[in-house]
Amino acid sequence: MPFIRKRRAQAEASPSPPPTRRRQSPAASDVSSGGEAYDDSTAANGETQGIGSSHEQMVKKLVRLALASEYSRQPIRRSDITTKVMAPGTGRQFKSVFEEANHQLRSTFGCEMTELPQKEKITISQKRAAQRTQTQNSLSSSSKSYILTSTIPPPLRIPAILPPPAVPDTASESAYVGLYTFILSLIYLSPGQSIPESRLEKHLKRMNADNYVLSGEKTEKVLKKLEKEGYIVRVRERDGGGEETVEFVVGPRGKAEVGEMGVAGLVRKVWGRMGTEREELERRLVRSLGEGVEIKRGRNEDEEEEGEEEGETQEGGEEVEEREEEEREERRQSGRRRRSSRRQTNTPGRRASGRRRRSTLVEEEADASEEEEDEEEVEEAEEGDSADE
């Protein structure tokens, strides 16, 4: 114990030296602070460039995804955009990325992403299921699916400017587009915009497309393809007796890609637009498809139509005058033929020359009187025609 107490006393008696501190020059401190500031600014610029580059990459990915989906006629779903385009932790940038991609699609490719409408609830079971889930999805009325639609003005949407796709080939794509446009037109123009399967088969049979279409492809296979791509929807429902009824309605893609305006354009192209028939056709289209398909005609179109009607009226008047002149000439010719036939039927062999001269004078007088009668008949006919007009 005494030994421990002695060492503790020695430690208390010898104080520890004060810590030494190196003095830094002002130049060194300034250089170190400047280096720290340079490193901070470089890191900030790198982060900014990384954010900008990631945003541009997401826009490019979305454009490529939209073009690839449209090539296979598949909808562009919000879930696919989230998993294949958006980077982790960038969910809030979806709106800006979507708008920038749409801007590039419009300026470069002449199209844009358009949201698809939701599928309609047709059957009773579908309506009941929609009512059960209505409280859960009451705030979400969006389908969260998109397709590419053209932004080219309608007057320029002609085959010479906007040809059908060349994959697999132009002829097959043209036939396919014509077929589904025809089927959608039948559905839109049917009562309630739904057509029974038997009636659709009847129309396809009249077009010689009840069994095979599109270069030997079966009709049922093509209908399933249209249903898969969203152009049409097959609705199956059983009635009270257990019998199944099948109907077809317009699908989301058919509404967005063709719609009422496309159907009206097809009908106008097939049936034409001339005079009173055009007005009747437009009334029927508005009654079947709604007021949205009505053509807003300007003053120039009205003046052109009036000019066409006046030209048709003048041409019709000239044709009437030509016909009347032909009728008059025919009457004159018929009168001459009657007189010549009477001369031939006169009995020859008269004895005295004086008697012949008297008969000749009588015949001439009779001919003159007949000519006067013919002329009077022609004048009476002309007066009757003018009175009718």
Side-chain angles (χ1 to χ4, degrees), residues 227-246:
E227 186 178 359
K228 180 181 178 181
E229 293 176 352
Y231 287 104
I232 59 176
V233 176
R234 192 193 303 258
V235 181
R236 301 179 183 273
E237 190 174 9
R238 294 187 179 275
D239 55 8
E243 185 178 357
E244 186 182 43
T245 59
V246 181

PDB file of all heavy atoms in Angstrom, residues 227-246:
ATOM      1  N   GLU A 227     -61.592  -8.552 -80.978  1.00  0.00           N
ATOM      2  CA  GLU A 227     -61.977  -8.496 -79.571  1.00  0.00           C
ATOM      3  C   GLU A 227     -60.751  -8.354 -78.675  1.00  0.00           C
ATOM      4  O   GLU A 227     -60.769  -7.610 -77.684  1.00  0.00           O
ATOM      5  CB  GLU A 227     -62.753  -9.763 -79.215  1.00  0.00           C
ATOM      6  CG  GLU A 227     -63.329  -9.763 -77.813  1.00  0.00           C
ATOM      7  CD  GLU A 227     -64.124 -11.016 -77.537  1.00  0.00           C
ATOM      8  OE1 GLU A 227     -64.236 -11.873 -78.437  1.00  0.00           O
ATOM      9  OE2 GLU A 227     -64.624 -11.155 -76.402  1.00  0.00           O
ATOM     10  N   LYS A 228     -59.662  -9.048 -79.011  1.00  0.00           N
ATOM     11  CA  LYS A 228     -58.441  -8.964 -78.218  1.00  0.00           C
ATOM     12  C   LYS A 228     -57.820  -7.575 -78.289  1.00  0.00           C
ATOM     13  O   LYS A 228     -57.281  -7.071 -77.293  1.00  0.00           O
ATOM     14  CB  LYS A 228     -57.446 -10.024 -78.710  1.00  0.00           C
ATOM     15  CG  LYS A 228     -56.137 -10.037 -77.959  1.00  0.00           C
ATOM     16  CD  LYS A 228     -55.199 -11.089 -78.516  1.00  0.00           C
ATOM     17  CE  LYS A 228     -53.855 -11.078 -77.800  1.00  0.00           C
ATOM     18  NZ  LYS A 228     -52.923 -12.093 -78.356  1.00  0.00           N
ATOM     19  N   GLU A 229     -57.878  -6.942 -79.456  1.00  0.00           N
ATOM     20  CA  GLU A 229     -57.270  -5.624 -79.628  1.00  0.00           C
ATOM     21  C   GLU A 229     -58.164  -4.494 -79.144  1.00  0.00           C
ATOM     22  O   GLU A 229     -57.735  -3.341 -79.156  1.00  0.00           O
ATOM     23  CB  GLU A 229     -56.921  -5.414 -81.105  1.00  0.00           C
ATOM     24  CG  GLU A 229     -55.815  -6.341 -81.587  1.00  0.00           C
ATOM     25  CD  GLU A 229     -55.542  -6.193 -83.064  1.00  0.00           C
ATOM     26  OE1 GLU A 229     -56.332  -5.477 -83.734  1.00  0.00           O
ATOM     27  OE2 GLU A 229     -54.558  -6.776 -83.555  1.00  0.00           O
ATOM     28  N   GLY A 230     -59.401  -4.796 -78.733  1.00  0.00           N
ATOM     29  CA  GLY A 230     -60.261  -3.782 -78.136  1.00  0.00           C
ATOM     30  C   GLY A 230     -61.153  -3.035 -79.100  1.00  0.00           C
ATOM     31  O   GLY A 230     -61.761  -2.035 -78.714  1.00  0.00           O
ATOM     32  N   TYR A 231     -61.266  -3.501 -80.351  1.00  0.00           N
ATOM     33  CA  TYR A 231     -62.161  -2.837 -81.291  1.00  0.00           C
ATOM     34  C   TYR A 231     -63.624  -3.162 -80.989  1.00  0.00           C
ATOM     35  O   TYR A 231     -64.494  -2.290 -81.099  1.00  0.00           O
ATOM     36  CB  TYR A 231     -61.824  -3.248 -82.726  1.00  0.00           C
ATOM     37  CG  TYR A 231     -60.552  -2.644 -83.251  1.00  0.00           C
ATOM     38  CD1 TYR A 231     -59.393  -3.399 -83.351  1.00  0.00           C
ATOM     39  CD2 TYR A 231     -60.490  -1.307 -83.621  1.00  0.00           C
ATOM     40  CE1 TYR A 231     -58.209  -2.849 -83.825  1.00  0.00           C
ATOM     41  CE2 TYR A 231     -59.316  -0.748 -84.093  1.00  0.00           C
ATOM     42  CZ  TYR A 231     -58.180  -1.521 -84.190  1.00  0.00           C
ATOM     43  OH  TYR A 231     -57.017  -0.968 -84.652  1.00  0.00           O
ATOM     44  N   ILE A 232     -63.905  -4.406 -80.651  1.00  0.00           N
ATOM     45  CA  ILE A 232     -65.266  -4.820 -80.330  1.00  0.00           C
ATOM     46  C   ILE A 232     -65.248  -5.578 -79.007  1.00  0.00           C
ATOM     47  O   ILE A 232     -64.189  -6.013 -78.538  1.00  0.00           O
ATOM     48  CB  ILE A 232     -65.878  -5.708 -81.439  1.00  0.00           C
ATOM     49  CG1 ILE A 232     -65.027  -6.970 -81.647  1.00  0.00           C
ATOM     50  CG2 ILE A 232     -66.008  -4.922 -82.736  1.00  0.00           C
ATOM     51  CD1 ILE A 232     -65.605  -7.939 -82.661  1.00  0.00           C
ATOM     52  N   VAL A 233     -66.420  -5.739 -78.416  1.00  0.00           N
ATOM     53  CA  VAL A 233     -66.583  -6.483 -77.163  1.00  0.00           C
ATOM     54  C   VAL A 233     -67.725  -7.470 -77.365  1.00  0.00           C
ATOM     55  O   VAL A 233     -68.824  -7.077 -77.779  1.00  0.00           O
ATOM     56  CB  VAL A 233     -66.866  -5.551 -75.970  1.00  0.00           C
ATOM     57  CG1 VAL A 233     -67.121  -6.357 -74.708  1.00  0.00           C
ATOM     58  CG2 VAL A 233     -65.714  -4.584 -75.760  1.00  0.00           C
ATOM     59  N   ARG A 234     -67.455  -8.736 -77.091  1.00  0.00           N
ATOM     60  CA  ARG A 234     -68.482  -9.776 -77.193  1.00  0.00           C
ATOM     61  C   ARG A 234     -69.163  -9.902 -75.829  1.00  0.00           C
ATOM     62  O   ARG A 234     -68.503 -10.161 -74.813  1.00  0.00           O
ATOM     63  CB  ARG A 234     -67.856 -11.106 -77.608  1.00  0.00           C
ATOM     64  CG  ARG A 234     -68.859 -12.177 -78.023  1.00  0.00           C
ATOM     65  CD  ARG A 234     -68.162 -13.525 -78.112  1.00  0.00           C
ATOM     66  NE  ARG A 234     -67.043 -13.479 -79.035  1.00  0.00           N
ATOM     67  CZ  ARG A 234     -67.082 -13.966 -80.280  1.00  0.00           C
ATOM     68  NH1 ARG A 234     -68.194 -14.528 -80.728  1.00  0.00           N
ATOM     69  NH2 ARG A 234     -66.006 -13.895 -81.057  1.00  0.00           N
ATOM     70  N   VAL A 235     -70.468  -9.735 -75.803  1.00  0.00           N
ATOM     71  CA  VAL A 235     -71.247  -9.770 -74.568  1.00  0.00           C
ATOM     72  C   VAL A 235     -72.104 -11.025 -74.580  1.00  0.00           C
ATOM     73  O   VAL A 235     -72.935 -11.212 -75.480  1.00  0.00           O
ATOM     74  CB  VAL A 235     -72.120  -8.515 -74.419  1.00  0.00           C
ATOM     75  CG1 VAL A 235     -72.908  -8.566 -73.118  1.00  0.00           C
ATOM     76  CG2 VAL A 235     -71.269  -7.251 -74.472  1.00  0.00           C
ATOM     77  N   ARG A 236     -71.900 -11.889 -73.600  1.00  0.00           N
ATOM     78  CA  ARG A 236     -72.692 -13.110 -73.450  1.00  0.00           C
ATOM     79  C   ARG A 236     -73.595 -12.958 -72.236  1.00  0.00           C
ATOM     80  O   ARG A 236     -73.140 -12.575 -71.156  1.00  0.00           O
ATOM     81  CB  ARG A 236     -71.786 -14.323 -73.294  1.00  0.00           C
ATOM     82  CG  ARG A 236     -70.832 -14.553 -74.465  1.00  0.00           C
ATOM     83  CD  ARG A 236     -69.952 -15.760 -74.199  1.00  0.00           C
ATOM     84  NE  ARG A 236     -68.987 -15.967 -75.250  1.00  0.00           N
ATOM     85  CZ  ARG A 236     -69.207 -16.675 -76.362  1.00  0.00           C
ATOM     86  NH1 ARG A 236     -70.402 -17.251 -76.551  1.00  0.00           N
ATOM     87  NH2 ARG A 236     -68.270 -16.816 -77.283  1.00  0.00           N
ATOM     88  N   GLU A 237     -74.850 -13.315 -72.392  1.00  0.00           N
ATOM     89  CA  GLU A 237     -75.814 -13.197 -71.301  1.00  0.00           C
ATOM     90  C   GLU A 237     -76.886 -14.272 -71.469  1.00  0.00           C
ATOM     91  O   GLU A 237     -77.302 -14.588 -72.589  1.00  0.00           O
ATOM     92  CB  GLU A 237     -76.444 -11.807 -71.298  1.00  0.00           C
ATOM     93  CG  GLU A 237     -77.278 -11.504 -70.070  1.00  0.00           C
ATOM     94  CD  GLU A 237     -77.753 -10.068 -70.035  1.00  0.00           C
ATOM     95  OE1 GLU A 237     -77.572  -9.369 -71.055  1.00  0.00           O
ATOM     96  OE2 GLU A 237     -78.300  -9.654 -69.002  1.00  0.00           O
ATOM     97  N   ARG A 238     -77.315 -14.817 -70.348  1.00  0.00           N
ATOM     98  CA  ARG A 238     -78.364 -15.837 -70.352  1.00  0.00           C
ATOM     99  C   ARG A 238     -79.672 -15.224 -69.887  1.00  0.00           C
ATOM    100  O   ARG A 238     -79.707 -14.466 -68.915  1.00  0.00           O
ATOM    101  CB  ARG A 238     -77.980 -17.009 -69.449  1.00  0.00           C
ATOM    102  CG  ARG A 238     -76.774 -17.789 -69.943  1.00  0.00           C
ATOM    103  CD  ARG A 238     -76.545 -19.033 -69.102  1.00  0.00           C
ATOM    104  NE  ARG A 238     -75.409 -19.791 -69.588  1.00  0.00           N
ATOM    105  CZ  ARG A 238     -75.475 -20.692 -70.563  1.00  0.00           C
ATOM    106  NH1 ARG A 238     -76.651 -20.946 -71.143  1.00  0.00           N
ATOM    107  NH2 ARG A 238     -74.387 -21.348 -70.948  1.00  0.00           N
ATOM    108  N   ASP A 239     -80.731 -15.574 -70.602  1.00  0.00           N
ATOM    109  CA  ASP A 239     -82.046 -15.064 -70.224  1.00  0.00           C
ATOM    110  C   ASP A 239     -82.655 -15.946 -69.142  1.00  0.00           C
ATOM    111  O   ASP A 239     -82.008 -16.846 -68.597  1.00  0.00           O
ATOM    112  CB  ASP A 239     -82.949 -14.995 -71.457  1.00  0.00           C
ATOM    113  CG  ASP A 239     -83.043 -16.333 -72.181  1.00  0.00           C
ATOM    114  OD1 ASP A 239     -82.528 -17.337 -71.631  1.00  0.00           O
ATOM    115  OD2 ASP A 239     -83.624 -16.382 -73.284  1.00  0.00           O
ATOM    116  N   GLY A 240     -83.921 -15.702 -68.822  1.00  0.00           N
ATOM    117  CA  GLY A 240     -84.574 -16.460 -67.765  1.00  0.00           C
ATOM    118  C   GLY A 240     -84.699 -17.938 -68.067  1.00  0.00           C
ATOM    119  O   GLY A 240     -84.674 -18.783 -67.161  1.00  0.00           O
ATOM    120  N   GLY A 241     -84.821 -18.294 -69.341  1.00  0.00           N
ATOM    121  CA  GLY A 241     -84.949 -19.700 -69.714  1.00  0.00           C
ATOM    122  C   GLY A 241     -83.635 -20.431 -69.839  1.00  0.00           C
ATOM    123  O   GLY A 241     -83.613 -21.610 -70.221  1.00  0.00           O
ATOM    124  N   GLY A 242     -82.518 -19.782 -69.573  1.00  0.00           N
ATOM    125  CA  GLY A 242     -81.229 -20.423 -69.668  1.00  0.00           C
ATOM    126  C   GLY A 242     -80.593 -20.361 -71.040  1.00  0.00           C
ATOM    127  O   GLY A 242     -79.499 -20.903 -71.245  1.00  0.00           O
ATOM    128  N   GLU A 243     -81.235 -19.697 -71.982  1.00  0.00           N
ATOM    129  CA  GLU A 243     -80.681 -19.592 -73.334  1.00  0.00           C
ATOM    130  C   GLU A 243     -79.673 -18.450 -73.393  1.00  0.00           C
ATOM    131  O   GLU A 243     -79.921 -17.354 -72.890  1.00  0.00           O
ATOM    132  CB  GLU A 243     -81.806 -19.366 -74.339  1.00  0.00           C
ATOM    133  CG  GLU A 243     -81.337 -19.355 -75.789  1.00  0.00           C
ATOM    134  CD  GLU A 243     -82.496 -19.176 -76.757  1.00  0.00           C
ATOM    135  OE1 GLU A 243     -83.655 -19.118 -76.304  1.00  0.00           O
ATOM    136  OE2 GLU A 243     -82.234 -19.084 -77.974  1.00  0.00           O
ATOM    137  N   GLU A 244     -78.554 -18.710 -74.026  1.00  0.00           N
ATOM    138  CA  GLU A 244     -77.475 -17.722 -74.096  1.00  0.00           C
ATOM    139  C   GLU A 244     -77.640 -16.847 -75.343  1.00  0.00           C
ATOM    140  O   GLU A 244     -77.886 -17.350 -76.438  1.00  0.00           O
ATOM    141  CB  GLU A 244     -76.117 -18.418 -74.135  1.00  0.00           C
ATOM    142  CG  GLU A 244     -74.946 -17.449 -74.070  1.00  0.00           C
ATOM    143  CD  GLU A 244     -73.611 -18.166 -74.158  1.00  0.00           C
ATOM    144  OE1 GLU A 244     -73.498 -19.084 -74.992  1.00  0.00           O
ATOM    145  OE2 GLU A 244     -72.706 -17.799 -73.404  1.00  0.00           O
ATOM    146  N   THR A 245     -77.511 -15.549 -75.149  1.00  0.00           N
ATOM    147  CA  THR A 245     -77.544 -14.586 -76.255  1.00  0.00           C
ATOM    148  C   THR A 245     -76.181 -13.906 -76.349  1.00  0.00           C
ATOM    149  O   THR A 245     -75.567 -13.576 -75.328  1.00  0.00           O
ATOM    150  CB  THR A 245     -78.631 -13.528 -76.029  1.00  0.00           C
ATOM    151  OG1 THR A 245     -78.376 -12.834 -74.794  1.00  0.00           O
ATOM    152  CG2 THR A 245     -80.008 -14.178 -75.977  1.00  0.00           C
ATOM    153  N   VAL A 246     -75.729 -13.735 -77.569  1.00  0.00           N
ATOM    154  CA  VAL A 246     -74.417 -13.137 -77.826  1.00  0.00           C
ATOM    155  C   VAL A 246     -74.617 -11.880 -78.655  1.00  0.00           C
ATOM    156  O   VAL A 246     -75.288 -11.912 -79.698  1.00  0.00           O
ATOM    157  CB  VAL A 246     -73.481 -14.113 -78.555  1.00  0.00           C
ATOM    158  CG1 VAL A 246     -72.117 -13.468 -78.789  1.00  0.00           C
ATOM    159  CG2 VAL A 246     -73.324 -15.403 -77.763  1.00  0.00           C
TER     160      VAL A 246
END
